[in-house]
Amino acid sequence: MDNKINNPANVLEVHNLKKYFPIKSGVFQRVVGHVKAVDDVSFSIKKGQTFGLVGESGCGKTTIGRTILRLAEPTAGKAIIDGVDIFAIKDKDELRLMRKKMQIIFQDPYSSLNPRIPVGEIIGEAVREHSIVSKQDYNDYILKTMEECGLRPYYRGRYPHEFSGGQRQRICIARALALKPDLIVADEPVSALDVSIQAQIINLLKDLQEARGISYLFISHDLSVVEYISDYIGVMYLGNLVETAPKEELFKHPCHPYTKALLSAVPVPNPDSKMNRVILKGDIPSPANPPSGCKFHTRCKYVMDICKTDQPALLDYGNEHFIACHLYKDGKLDKDLDAEEAEE
């Protein structure tokens, strides 16, 4: 198998990732179908940059992050980090060594921390296991890592229940940072926090990225947060990427009808501003029985006959802007569509 990374500027490349969960039924628990949580997704993350992944709940965002880290086994595809296909690794010791290069920050900071272990041990447990520093430098390294994440030295002997939500998330960040990873998967790291604390955690992540050159896969449903922290954004719908683009390009020229609907729901801090809200009809279909053709066609007001039969490919329309939609043909954006929306 060719595990070479296509572009050395990328810290991660995901190719045709699929993750299907079996549906079992009957006395003998036979497989009668599959939940297509992630269905043929490809993207890359450059070194020192952040790829924001957004979409409705249940679209497969978290499953992508967990599968890349092998917390869930993939159905198909490749995930290449540092020239190595993570999915092709069979040896447990080899996979253990690769885990130093990729870490995760979970959504709920309290449930992801062991309540019986003090903070210093939580941060240092993996450091000792992977021999990140020598025994002589261990204590200083833990204190330095805590300081980088805004944690006081005397917090080291305290337990998770003694901290606020924001402080617990700082502990989780310090635990991930301590292994000196190349990639951190941040799975909705601020959604459980107060708004004022969210800003502090996001700024901390940006500062650490600037200081250490870390790359993030930032998973969130909050477009305002994603806009602030991301360099590149991917929009997911029912297991597929429907649009990806650099941050400025996506927010200035959203193209896919689903992306436009998401952006229209972002609140504007101006009471005099008129909101052109796009209301989507119906509910998101089941990933166990997705619609044929374009999966969004059941909720799209621009649906055409081809949308019901042919699934659109994610094609490049310039400026690193990729769109999976039949409204855009021959590599050109549909100007008539923009004019129609302007009239509405």
Side-chain angles (χ1 to χ4, degrees), residues 234-246:
V235 180
M236 280 197 72
Y237 183 80
L238 205 62
N240 294 112
L241 281 173
V242 296
E243 186 167 3
T244 64

Side-chain angles (χ1 to χ4, degrees), residues 15 24 29 60 81 92 103 122 147 195 267 269 299 334 343:
H15 300 286
K24 298 181 180 180
Q29 291 293 288
I81 296 179
K92 290 183 178 180
Q103 289 294 301
I122 288 173
E147 183 182 358
V195 175
R299 304 172 72 189
D334 193 336
E343 291 178 3

Side-chain angles (χ1 to χ4, degrees), residues 251-325:
F251 278 84
K252 190 175 181 181
H253 301 295
C255 294
H256 197 282
Y258 179 63
T259 306
K260 293 181 178 181
L262 287 182
L263 293 179
S264 74
V266 177
V268 178
N270 182 358
D272 298 324
S273 177
K274 183 180 178 181
M275 297 286 292
N276 294 319
R277 182 72 186 273
V278 178
I279 306 296
L280 294 178
K281 297 180 181 180
D283 297 322
I284 186 171
S286 169
N289 186 27
S292 60
C294 175
K295 294 179 181 178
F296 186 64
H297 84 258
T298 58
R299 304 172 72 189
C300 181
K301 66 179 181 179
Y302 303 109
V303 61
M304 302 178 291
D305 289 339
I306 191 175
C307 302
K308 301 175 183 179
T309 56
D310 297 350
Q311 183 173 356
L314 196 66
L315 301 178
D316 188 357
Y317 287 82
N319 297 327
E320 296 184 275
H321 198 152
F322 291 79
I323 311 162
C325 184

Side-chain angles (χ1 to χ4, degrees), residues 47-77:
K47 293 179 180 178
Q49 291 194 354
T50 300
F51 185 93
L53 203 55
V54 299
E56 291 173 298
S57 297
C59 70
K61 306 186 300 296
T62 294
T63 303
I64 285 180
R66 294 178 66 87
T67 306
I68 289 171
L69 299 180
R70 291 282 294 271
L71 297 179
E73 290 299 317
T75 301

Side-chain angles (χ1 to χ4, degrees), residues 111-125:
S111 63
S112 65
L113 298 173
N114 190 330
R116 294 183 173 88
I117 300 179
V119 168
E121 184 62 22
I122 288 173
I123 297 172
E125 186 177 20

Side-chain angles (χ1 to χ4, degrees), residues 37-231:
V38 182
D39 194 13
D40 200 9
V41 169
S42 300
F43 63 92
S44 61
I45 304 177
K46 294 180 180 179
K47 293 179 180 178
Q49 291 194 354
T50 300
F51 185 93
L53 203 55
V54 299
E56 291 173 298
S57 297
C59 70
K61 306 186 300 296
T62 294
T63 303
I64 285 180
R66 294 178 66 87
T67 306
I68 289 171
L69 299 180
R70 291 282 294 271
L71 297 179
E73 290 299 317
T75 301
K78 294 182 180 181
I80 303 173
I81 296 179
D82 196 23
V84 177
D85 182 6
I86 300 298
F87 299 162
I89 298 176
K90 305 300 181 184
D91 184 72
K92 290 183 178 180
D93 291 333
E94 186 180 353
L95 181 60
R96 176 177 164 274
L97 290 174
M98 286 300 296
R99 291 202 181 280
K100 293 189 295 182
K101 299 178 181 292
M102 49 186 188
Q103 289 294 301
I104 186 170
I105 302 169
F106 293 99
Q107 179 177 355
D108 184 357
Y110 189 63
S111 63
S112 65
L113 298 173
N114 190 330
R116 294 183 173 88
I117 300 179
V119 168
E121 184 62 22
I122 288 173
I123 297 172
E125 186 177 20
V127 173
R128 189 186 299 111
E129 179 69 21
H130 289 280
S131 302
I132 300 299
V133 294
S134 64
K135 291 183 179 179
Q136 293 81 4
D137 296 331
Y138 174 81
N139 289 329
D140 290 339
Y141 182 75
I142 298 304
L143 293 175
K144 181 183 177 183
T145 303
M146 291 176 61
E147 183 182 358
E148 281 187 273
C149 297
L151 298 169
R152 303 291 181 89
Y154 58 84
Y155 289 170
R156 183 175 178 177
R158 294 185 178 181
Y159 291 82
H161 73 271
E162 300 180 66
F163 296 92
S164 66
Q167 289 173 322
R168 288 175 193 151
Q169 198 60 287
R170 289 176 184 271
I171 296 169
C172 295
I173 294 171
R175 178 177 58 183
L177 189 71
L179 291 182
K180 302 178 181 178
D182 297 326
L183 172 71
I184 292 180
V185 175
D187 184 12
E188 307 233 23
V190 297
S191 62
L193 306 177
D194 294 336
V195 175
S196 59
I197 306 302
Q198 286 184 14
Q200 294 177 21
I201 297 300
I202 292 299
N203 286 329
L204 172 62
L205 291 172
K206 287 180 70 71
D207 291 342
L208 292 173
Q209 184 176 54
E210 185 176 342
R212 295 204 177 197
I214 305 170
S215 299
Y216 296 126
L217 173 59
F218 192 91
I219 300 167
S220 179
H221 61 271
D222 190 332
L223 280 163
S224 299
V225 172
V226 170
E227 181 182 14
Y228 181 70
I229 195 172
S230 300
D231 299 288

